[in-house]
């Protein structure tokens, strides 16, 4: 499968992976000419200004159609994987640009800075790229989050994997992510993640609020009937 990706500016970033006749690794800026096969969106999380979430990943290709020559074992996995990788690259580039232009202010962080609202299927693709499962409930209801050490290790392994090298551009994307991560101060990045976690703990968010309100409503109805 040949791959084309494009990023759209705005409140959120959208990456599209689509088949194309132009060749391998072609960058297309026009989405009207072809129907995309996979789409993912990176947008701001409800839990803080310095946290982003990939809240939507969609693919028109069937999961059941396997192909050993594709990254992940199928065109579906490869297409979704391209979206994940490109959004990670876009986030890291924005991270480094923001870091250089902002002094003395709390900025983005990679460790825990990207969240995913994944499924059992997409979760495997995220974990293969070094992302960890969420350890606590949050307002954005994410299932996975970025892990600095995990991403650095897994993307480094992907960059030299013979299986990944079969996929167009997969090795180059992995090398690019490793290169971008190497420009980040690991200890400082993890410190920022800890500060955001403390802010979340201090917030008034209650993950069981909707359940409690429903129970209270049922109790009121029961009392009114009596």
């Amino acid at each position: 499968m040949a791959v084309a990706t494009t990023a759209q500016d705005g409140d959120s970033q959208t990456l599209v992976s689509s088949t194309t006749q132009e060749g391998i690794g072609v960058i297309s800026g026009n989405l009207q000419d072809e129907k995309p096969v996979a789409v993912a969106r990176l947008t701001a999380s409800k839990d803080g200004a310095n946290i982003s979430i990939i809240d939507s990943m969609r693919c028109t290709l069937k999961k059941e159609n396997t192909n050993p020559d594709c990254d992940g074992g199928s065109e579906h996995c490869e297409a979704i994987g391209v979206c994940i990788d490109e959004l990670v690259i876009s986030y890291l580039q924005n991270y480094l640009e923001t870091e250089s232009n902002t002094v003395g202010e709390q900025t983005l962080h990679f460790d825990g800075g990207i969240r995913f609202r994944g499924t059992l299927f997409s979760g495997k693709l995220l974990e293969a790229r070094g992302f960890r499962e969420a350890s606590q409930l949050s307002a954005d209801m994410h299932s996975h989050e970025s892990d600095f050490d995990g991403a650095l290790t897994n993307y480094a392994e992907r960059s030299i994997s013979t299986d990944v090298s079969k996929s167009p551009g997969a090795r180059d994307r992995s090398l690019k992510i490793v290169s971008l991560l190497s420009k980040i101060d690991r200890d400082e990045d993890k410190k920022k993640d800890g500060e955001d976690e403390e802010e979340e703990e201090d917030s008034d968010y209650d993950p069981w609020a909707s359940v409690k309100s429903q129970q209270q409503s049922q109790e009121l109805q029961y009392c009114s009937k009596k």
Side-chain angles (χ1 to χ4, degrees):
M1 180 178 71
V3 173
T5 59
T6 183
Q8 296 179 336
D9 296 327
D11 294 335
S12 60
Q13 299 169 13
T14 302
L15 270 290
V16 179
S17 168
S18 63
T19 56
T20 175
Q21 301 298 323
E22 298 178 37
I24 296 174
V26 175
I27 298 176
S28 173
N30 186 359
L31 304 183
Q32 297 179 351
D33 296 338
E34 297 184 42
K35 182 180 178 180
V37 298
V39 178
R41 184 179 67 174
L42 177 68
T43 189
S45 167
K46 297 177 181 178
D47 287 322
N50 298 317
I51 301 175
S52 298
I53 183 169
I54 296 180
D55 63 348
S56 178
M57 288 192 291
R58 298 288 184 269
C59 183
T60 61
L61 301 173
K62 294 182 179 179
K63 303 172 187 174
E64 298 80 11
N65 295 346
T66 59
N67 186 339
D69 292 328
C70 292
D71 182 16
S74 71
E75 288 193 345
H76 177 96
C77 289
E78 183 175 307
I80 289 292
V82 170
C83 291
I84 295 171
D85 292 346
E86 290 287 353
L87 285 176
V88 170
I89 290 172
S90 178
Y91 181 90
L92 288 171
Q93 289 173 334
N94 185 41
Y95 176 118
L96 293 169
E97 182 180 352
T98 304
E99 190 76 10
S100 62
N101 294 333
T102 307
V103 180
E105 297 180 16
Q106 188 177 6
T107 56
L108 301 175
H109 54 88
F110 180 77
D111 195 80
I114 307 178
R115 294 177 172 181
F116 304 85
R117 198 174 295 152
T119 62
L120 289 174
F121 188 84
S122 61
K124 295 178 181 178
L125 299 178
L126 299 171
E127 290 163 16
R129 286 161 171 78
F131 300 104
R132 63 190 180 229
E133 291 186 357
S135 58
Q136 60 184 24
L137 292 173
S138 62
D140 58 22
M141 300 300 289
H142 69 289
S143 63
H144 292 75
E145 58 192 24
S146 51
D147 181 279
F148 191 100
D149 295 333
L152 188 60
T153 299
N154 285 42
Y155 274 111
E157 291 176 353
R158 284 175 59 80
S159 69
I160 59 175
S161 170
T162 54
D163 293 332
V164 174
S165 63
K166 297 176 184 178
S167 173
R171 180 175 178 273
D172 291 339
R173 287 191 297 274
S174 296
L175 285 170
K176 190 167 187 177
I177 290 172
V178 171
S179 175
L180 290 169
L181 284 171
S182 67
K183 297 177 182 178
I184 296 173
D185 186 321
R186 173 186 176 277
D187 294 335
E188 185 65 26
D189 186 80
K190 285 182 170 290
K191 181 181 176 182
K192 292 177 184 177
D193 180 34
E195 291 172 353
D196 273 353
E197 286 183 354
E198 289 178 3
E199 288 181 5
E200 281 191 60
E201 291 176 358
D202 294 337
S203 69
D204 296 329
Y205 171 68
D206 181 2
W208 304 106
S210 59
V211 177
K212 291 177 181 177
S213 63
Q214 186 175 8
Q215 289 177 338
Q216 291 173 352
S217 176
Q218 290 175 344
E219 290 173 359
L220 288 172
Q221 290 178 3
Y222 176 74
C223 291
S224 62
K225 289 180 180 177
K226 289 180 68 176

